[in-house]
Amino acid sequence: MKKILPLFSYILHPIFISMYATLFYLFCKGDIFTNQEKYYVLFQILIITIVVPVLFFLLLRSTGHVNSVMVPETSQRKIPLILQCFLYILLVKRSIVIARYPELHFFFLGALFSTILALIGSLFKIKASLHTMAISGLTIFAIGLNIHLQMQNPYWGAFLILMTGVVASSRLEMDAHTPKEVMIGLLLGVLPQLLFLYLWL
């Protein structure tokens, strides 16, 4: 089990959570969008939340500003978190607009607020588990969407709650975080999503 747990830190890395959330959203509201629109949305999410951050990470690593994809040092997190804030702003302003994708719009808005809080924390040398923050935010979004669309399917929520626990255990097993940092990440992921849940649920 100790060898398997670290895999979840990569499979459920924060950089992939936006794509997972978008796939889940399009799956749940599949009949509303054409296949062409779905591909267009997924392509935007792929470029903005995965390709750009990866290229930016490679640039930072080549200049010595970060030394690992997990960005373990609090001091190394400031620039990536600032970039992430700008990318989320771009998404909610230009791509995932409230008029067309209201639920997904509020998910990214919640993710933006979580990222801002994590950035503020890093300025005060408060380290949060970004993995736990990301997966817990996705969990609240999935549960909210399940209720909102009256899907009556508890399995997605239960699965993601389990995955949140697995990711938290993975971070602890890898000695990447203390229990306190995992809890801070959990709160940063859950609270903004719960706040915005009231606006679209």
Side-chain angles (χ1 to χ4, degrees), residues 5-6 9 129 131-132 164-183:
L5 275 176
S9 286
S129 171
H131 282 74
T132 312
T164 301
V166 169
V167 169
S169 299
S170 172
R171 304 310 289 156
L172 294 172
E173 179 63 33
M174 295 174 71
D175 290 324
H177 292 288
T178 64
K180 179 182 177 182
E181 291 165 353
V182 168
M183 186 57 66

Side-chain angles (χ1 to χ4, degrees), residues 16 26 35 48 54 56 71 78 101 105 128 175-176 189:
F16 300 127
L26 294 175
N35 286 335
I48 295 173
V54 166
F56 197 74
V71 196
K78 296 171 187 175
Y101 316 100
H105 175 88
D175 290 324

Side-chain angles (χ1 to χ4, degrees), residues 10-11 18 42 74 78 80 85-86 103 117 120 133 139 145 158 161 167 176 189-190 194-195:
Y10 294 94
I11 297 170
S18 294
L42 289 172
T74 307
K78 296 171 187 175
C85 287
F86 280 113
E103 302 90 351
L117 291 172
I120 293 171
M133 182 180 83
T139 300
L145 198 61
I161 289 172
V167 169
V190 167
L194 284 177
L195 176 66

Side-chain angles (χ1 to χ4, degrees), residues 141-156:
F141 173 66
I143 293 172
L145 198 61
N146 189 18
I147 297 170
H148 180 62
L149 299 178
Q150 298 180 341
M151 293 163 56
Q152 297 180 346
N153 184 349
Y155 300 111
W156 281 109

